[in-house]
């Protein structure tokens, strides 16, 4: 069987189990010194969890071989390597950090928009701005103003540290939320942050270059043209809302009068990273001032065209990779605020510096800021003088050729990419809690059943679990596939509307599968999964010249890490859509959230064997069958 890439970016995740009770503090980074360090997971337990997850993916003969390798690894072959990893971890703020960043993000070669970045569509609401008539620039100004207020609070360490059920979360990712850029390299990319590391942050990320000074500008894109727009005062606070709107309106009018830039350098950021890394030095040499200005911007704001009569799925596609002329109106190496002509808006997030919970916190802030902004802020008037400059980029003949290739490949990838938003109404977390089902586990089983209906197989499935209760924590994999999930989905081949005994049997298997998933989730967010410790052992063996353990050369290891279903759950009233690209060519990307009375899925695919539209229909079918079981269990 063909090997699949085993790494998967981590988006949003479950809350961790309480470990330490803390008092809330006003200082953003005040709990950092109290956070525990990530431990190295128990080897025997990791091997046990691994075997449970791959068993339903293998034939009995394949599993027997893999089980022997895993048992030998847990009791003999892996003992010394595991001990070396524990020793390595002793003096590190987070032993996983270097390998996670380099292996999963900075050394990952696939194009960012389809394999790494993730995106939100924010809920629609009318901004309170009283000046201006353009729905797009009014909404863009309102959201950007909220982003800049959040940025200013971060600089003063006034963003309240995240504490869930009395447990503090690591806040270090917020230090790279503004002024970040991912600079391409031929082997590894590099993260640069042009907002200085806060003095109150006691530990720093090993792989980030922090620059002195505090940028005051954002980069605004319209029609593939890049503009620098100074949006903060000298103290870092945002310009008045009306002044930001007037500046955005000026940029929009200027770009519209100039027309489309058909050589937008944003296309370079859609290339394989190593290819982009080969071209970047030349582009920087020819355009040093413009590139430096672009890289140092606090954020990118994309003022898009179109959006008339768009469906949910088209909006999702636009925030994912752009639609129509908006395809060239992107720069994926930085975080982007994308605003459509009708004011509908979203974020496209470069994933390397942080996970979805960080961006979600910003999303919730800007949406609440739109609702609660004071009248005095709305009425505040600023100067009608703007620091706005178009950034122009020269391309050599070689770069022009590379640009044409980048644009062609990106458009080809878009042409085979499908996106489908499914809103399953009338059944959500309220119904599931009433039926005594854990909502996330139930939603995961819907996806398992849909995949089984399509392929007759259980899917290797990734769901991210946050480990931010540890210092510099990122995620651990929640492996959804299990013997219990496989038993449930395979039982659904039995006609559902048959005798009560069969329905009761199916219900019992569904309950077992959900309970198994709940336990897997609890273990993962407590740092007791299998994927991160295996990742560490693999990288340590490679660094120290130790022969790679046989378990990691076993075909089953790559089958189990193929992630044909790459999933992540995000629940927030600030969001309308949440999505990302599929990881496996023969699989799906599934961003989802569970509302009180509905479940929303965003499905993506780009392979020949899969189709997001078809899978969306199978999700609906599966949800209906499982809803019937959940709501009629007292009748069986």
């Amino acid at each position: 069987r063909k090997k699949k890439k085993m790494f998967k970016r981590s988006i949003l995740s479950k809350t961790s189990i309480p470990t330490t009770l803390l008092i809330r503090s006003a200082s953003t980074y005040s709990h950092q010194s109290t956070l525990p360090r990530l431990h190295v997971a128990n080897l025997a337990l990791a091997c046990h969890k691994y075997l449970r997850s791959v068993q339903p993916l293998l034939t009995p003969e394949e599993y027997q071989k893999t089980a022997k390798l895993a048992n030998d690894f847990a009791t003999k072959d892996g003992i010394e390597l595991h001990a070396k990893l524990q020793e390595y971890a002793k003096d590190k703020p987070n032993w996983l950090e270097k390998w996670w960043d380099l292996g999963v993000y900075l050394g990952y070669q696939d194009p960012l928009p389809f394999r790494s970045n993730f995106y939100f569509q924010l809920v629609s609401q009318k901004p309170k701005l009283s000046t201006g008539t353009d729905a797009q620039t009014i909404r863009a100004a309102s959201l950007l103003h909220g982003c800049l207020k959040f940025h200013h609070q971060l600089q003063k360490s006034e963003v309240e540290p995240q504490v869930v059920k009395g447990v503090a979360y690591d806040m270090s990712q917020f230090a790279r939320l503004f002024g970040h850029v991912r600079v391409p390299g031929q082997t590894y990319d590099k993260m640069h942050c042009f907002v200085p590391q806060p003095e109150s942050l006691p530990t720093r990320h090993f792989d980030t270059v922090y620059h002195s000074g505090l940028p005051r500008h954002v980069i605004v894109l319209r029609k593939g043209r890049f503009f620098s727009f100074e949006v903060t005062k000298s103290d870092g606070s945002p310009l008045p809302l009306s002044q930001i709107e007037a500046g955005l309106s000026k940029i929009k009018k200027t770009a519209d009068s100039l027309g489309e830039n058909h050589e937008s350098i944003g296309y370079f950021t859609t290339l394989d990273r190593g290819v982009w890394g080969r071209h970047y030095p030349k582009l920087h040499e020819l355009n040093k001032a413009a590139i430096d200005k672009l890289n140092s911007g606090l954020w990118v704001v994309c003022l898009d065209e179109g959006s008339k009569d768009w469906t949910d799925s088209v909006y999702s596609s636009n925030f994912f990779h752009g639609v129509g002329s908006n395809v060239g109106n992107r720069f994926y190496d930085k975080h982007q605020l994308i605003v459509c002509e009708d004011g509908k808006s979203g974020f496209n997030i470069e994933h390397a510096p942080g996970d979805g919970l960080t961006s979600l916190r910003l999303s919730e802030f800007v949406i609440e800021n739109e609702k609660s902004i004071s009248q005095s802020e709305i009425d505040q008037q600023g100067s009608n003088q703007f620091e706005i400059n178009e950034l122009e980029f020269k391309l050599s003949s070689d770069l022009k050729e590379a640009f044409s290739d980048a644009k062609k490949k990106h458009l080809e990838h878009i042409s085979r990419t499908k996106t489908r938003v499914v809103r399953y109404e009338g059944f959500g977390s309220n119904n599931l809690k009433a039926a005594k089902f854990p909502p996330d586990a139930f939603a995961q089983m819907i996806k398992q059943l849909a995949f089984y209906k399509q392929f007759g197989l259980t899917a290797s499935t990734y769901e991210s679990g946050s480990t931010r209760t540890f210092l510099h924590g990122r995620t651990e994999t929640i492996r959804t596939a299990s013997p219990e999930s496989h038993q449930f989905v395979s039982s659904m081949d039995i006609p559902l509307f048959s005798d009560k005994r069969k329905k009761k049997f199916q219900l019992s298997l569904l309950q077992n599968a959900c309970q198994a998933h709940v336990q897997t989730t609890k273990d993962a967010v407590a740092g007791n999964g299998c994927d991160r410790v295996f990742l560490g052992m693999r990288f340590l063996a490679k660094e120290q010249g130790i022969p790679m353990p046989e378990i990691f050369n076993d075909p089953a290891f790559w089958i189990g890490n193929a992630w044909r279903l790459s999933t992540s759950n995000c629940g927030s009233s600030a969001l309308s859509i949440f999505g990302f690209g599929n990881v496996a060519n023969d699989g799906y990307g599934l961003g989802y959230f569970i509302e009180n009375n509905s479940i929303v899925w965003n499905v993506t695919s780009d392979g020949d064997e899969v189709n997001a539209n078809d899978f969306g229909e199978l999700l609906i079918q599966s949800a209906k069958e499982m809803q019937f079981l959940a709501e009629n269990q007292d009748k069986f």
Side-chain angles (χ1 to χ4, degrees):
R1 294 173 182 169
K2 184 179 178 181
K3 288 186 178 181
K4 303 282 185 181
K5 290 189 175 72
M6 66 171 293
F7 299 126
K8 167 69 177 75
R9 65 181 134 29
S10 317
I11 316 285
L12 298 175
S13 35
K14 309 291 160 300
T15 10
S16 182
I17 53 176
T19 55
T20 310
L21 293 179
L22 296 161
I23 300 173
R24 289 178 178 266
S25 166
S27 176
T28 303
Y29 305 107
S30 57
H31 295 322
Q32 292 298 113
S33 60
T34 71
L35 294 174
R37 296 189 179 192
L38 180 67
H39 58 276
V40 176
N42 178 274
L43 181 59
L45 182 61
C47 289
H48 171 71
K49 292 182 175 301
Y50 167 68
L51 285 175
R52 279 181 48 78
S53 72
V54 298
Q55 183 179 351
L57 312 178
L58 305 175
T59 66
E61 295 76 18
E62 289 171 335
Y63 179 74
Q64 186 176 14
K65 175 190 172 186
T66 296
K68 184 178 186 311
L69 287 174
N71 290 328
D72 287 348
F73 189 62
T75 58
K76 298 182 297 184
D77 302 343
I79 297 295
E80 183 177 353
L81 182 58
H82 187 261
K84 286 179 180 291
L85 181 58
Q86 290 176 313
E87 184 64 28
Y88 171 88
K90 284 182 179 179
D91 62 347
K92 307 291 189 301
N94 186 304
W95 63 265
L96 178 63
E97 183 176 19
K98 178 181 76 169
W99 294 326
W100 182 250
D101 286 358
L102 292 179
V104 179
Y105 293 109
L106 303 180
Y108 194 64
Q109 292 296 301
D110 285 0
L112 293 188
F114 301 107
R115 293 294 186 264
S116 185
N117 288 21
F118 61 95
Y119 59 96
F120 299 150
Q121 180 177 329
L122 303 171
V123 294
S124 295
Q125 56 189 19
K126 186 176 181 180
K128 295 182 178 180
L129 184 63
S130 56
T131 61
T133 57
D134 187 319
Q136 181 178 42
T137 57
I138 289 175
R139 187 80 199 280
S142 177
L143 294 173
L144 178 57
H145 188 262
C147 288
L148 296 171
K149 285 175 68 174
F150 193 81
H151 164 60
H152 189 47
Q153 289 184 17
L154 278 175
Q155 295 314 298
K156 297 187 294 181
S157 293
E158 292 178 356
V159 172
E160 188 172 359
Q162 188 172 0
V163 180
V164 179
K165 297 181 180 179
V167 180
Y169 274 53
D170 178 84
M171 296 292 289
S172 63
Q173 293 179 22
F174 287 89
R176 302 185 292 191
L177 188 56
F178 292 90
H180 158 76
V181 66
R182 177 168 168 170
V183 176
Q186 294 188 41
T187 304
Y188 292 104
D189 292 353
K190 192 72 178 177
M191 283 187 276
H192 289 252
C193 191
F194 290 84
V195 172
Q197 177 171 304
E199 293 181 3
S200 57
L201 185 61
T203 54
R204 67 179 297 146
H205 296 279
F206 91 99
D207 56 356
T208 301
V209 178
Y210 284 95
H211 296 258
S212 60
L214 188 64
R216 298 173 56 184
H217 67 283
V218 295
I219 302 300
V220 182
L221 272 63
R222 172 73 174 178
K223 289 184 173 290
R225 297 182 177 276
F226 290 64
F227 297 84
S228 170
F229 176 23
E230 194 167 289
V231 289
T232 68
K233 303 173 186 176
S234 57
D235 65 352
S237 62
L239 294 180
L241 185 56
S242 60
Q243 188 174 353
I244 292 176
E245 194 279 330
L248 293 174
S249 293
K250 181 177 181 180
I251 289 171
K252 181 176 179 179
K253 290 175 183 176
T254 300
D256 288 354
S257 66
L258 292 171
E260 191 79 25
N261 173 20
H262 296 288
E263 291 185 335
S264 168
I265 66 163
Y267 280 105
F268 284 115
T269 66
T270 70
L271 284 166
D272 286 356
R273 301 306 292 177
V275 177
W276 174 208
R278 289 200 302 272
H279 299 311
Y280 179 83
K282 182 65 173 177
L283 184 69
H284 187 257
E285 178 186 340
L286 291 175
N287 305 276
K288 186 179 187 307
I291 292 291
D292 289 349
K293 195 72 173 178
L294 169 58
N295 286 347
S296 62
L298 291 170
W299 262 60
V300 170
V301 180
C302 306
L303 300 178
D304 277 4
E305 298 180 277
S307 73
K308 184 179 180 181
D309 300 324
W310 281 4
T311 63
D312 276 348
S313 297
V314 179
Y315 278 111
S316 179
S317 296
N318 193 54
F319 297 124
F320 184 12
H321 51 63
V323 170
S325 61
N326 301 323
V327 171
N329 204 48
R330 298 287 183 271
F331 192 81
Y332 293 101
D333 290 0
K334 292 181 70 68
H335 304 321
Q336 301 171 94
L337 165 62
I338 301 168
V339 185
C340 302
E341 291 274 14
D342 60 3
K344 289 191 176 180
S345 307
F347 291 145
N348 186 292
I349 303 296
E350 200 288 288
H351 206 336
D355 301 315
L357 287 175
T358 304
S359 306
L360 182 60
R361 179 83 177 270
L362 174 65
S363 302
E364 291 172 338
F365 180 91
V366 298
I367 291 299
E368 182 57 34
N369 181 70
E370 276 195 316
K371 296 176 183 176
S372 61
I373 188 170
S374 67
Q375 191 62 43
S376 61
E377 284 185 278
I378 296 170
D379 294 339
Q380 185 181 5
Q381 297 298 308
S383 167
N384 37 358
Q385 300 296 315
F386 305 104
E387 279 290 332
I388 296 175
N389 295 287
E390 183 172 6
L391 305 181
E392 297 183 356
F393 303 93
K394 300 175 184 177
L395 301 182
S396 64
S397 58
D398 288 347
L399 286 173
K400 285 179 180 288
E401 184 178 341
F403 168 83
S404 297
D405 185 57
K407 183 175 181 179
K408 178 183 177 183
K409 287 181 177 177
H410 188 51
L411 293 175
E412 287 175 349
H413 202 145
I414 289 174
S415 70
R416 63 178 185 270
T417 298
K418 294 180 175 61
T419 304
R420 168 80 183 274
V421 176
V422 177
R423 298 190 186 275
Y424 188 74
E425 304 287 352
F427 185 75
S429 60
N430 287 346
N431 311 79
L432 287 165
K433 290 173 184 176
K436 295 182 168 53
F437 274 101
D440 181 72
F442 193 93
Q444 282 289 330
M445 294 310 131
I446 292 174
K447 291 185 278 292
Q448 290 293 304
L449 181 56
F451 192 89
Y452 188 84
K453 285 178 177 291
Q454 184 169 25
F455 295 103
L457 301 168
T458 288
S460 54
T461 305
Y462 178 105
E463 183 182 9
S464 61
S466 176
T467 55
R468 276 184 53 216
T469 53
F470 299 99
L471 184 64
H472 291 195
R474 295 290 297 251
T475 64
E476 173 60 275
T477 304
I478 302 168
R479 289 184 169 230
T480 304
S482 68
E484 292 84 0
S485 72
H486 181 70
Q487 288 166 7
F488 164 64
V489 298
S490 58
S491 79
M492 297 299 281
D493 274 347
I494 302 169
L496 182 63
F497 299 99
S498 55
D499 63 78
K500 291 182 179 181
R501 186 165 33 169
K502 288 181 180 177
K503 295 171 190 174
K504 186 175 182 178
F505 174 63
Q506 291 167 337
L507 174 64
S508 174
L509 292 179
L510 173 57
Q511 291 168 331
N512 291 343
C514 288
Q515 285 308 120
H517 187 75
V518 168
Q519 186 59 51
T520 299
T521 299
K522 289 180 178 179
D523 291 341
V525 299
N528 294 319
C530 66
D531 287 270
R532 303 304 177 256
V533 64
F534 283 177
L535 178 74
M537 294 175 79
R538 291 177 68 242
F539 271 93
L540 187 63
K542 186 176 180 180
E543 284 188 5
Q544 297 191 1
I546 299 170
M548 191 60 64
E550 193 59 32
I551 189 175
F552 302 133
N553 295 321
D554 180 20
F557 183 74
W558 298 97
I559 293 169
N561 284 277
W563 311 136
R564 294 188 70 182
L565 290 181
S566 173
T567 77
S568 191
N569 176 5
C570 166
S572 173
S573 59
L575 303 187
S576 174
I577 293 171
F578 158 55
F580 48 88
N582 50 289
V583 171
N585 291 333
D586 56 355
Y588 297 101
L590 283 152
Y592 66 104
F593 45 90
I594 308 162
E595 300 178 320
N596 288 338
N597 298 297
S598 64
I599 305 174
V600 181
W601 288 282
N602 187 95
V603 190
T604 60
S605 66
D606 63 9
D608 295 334
E609 303 174 35
V610 287
N611 185 301
N613 293 317
D614 294 343
F615 197 74
E617 293 302 315
L618 292 171
L619 285 170
I620 294 170
Q621 291 177 28
S622 300
K624 286 180 178 178
E625 293 178 11
M626 290 173 57
Q627 179 182 354
F628 179 85
L629 289 176
E631 293 186 334
N632 293 278
Q633 52 189 295
D634 58 334
K635 300 177 183 179
F636 301 152

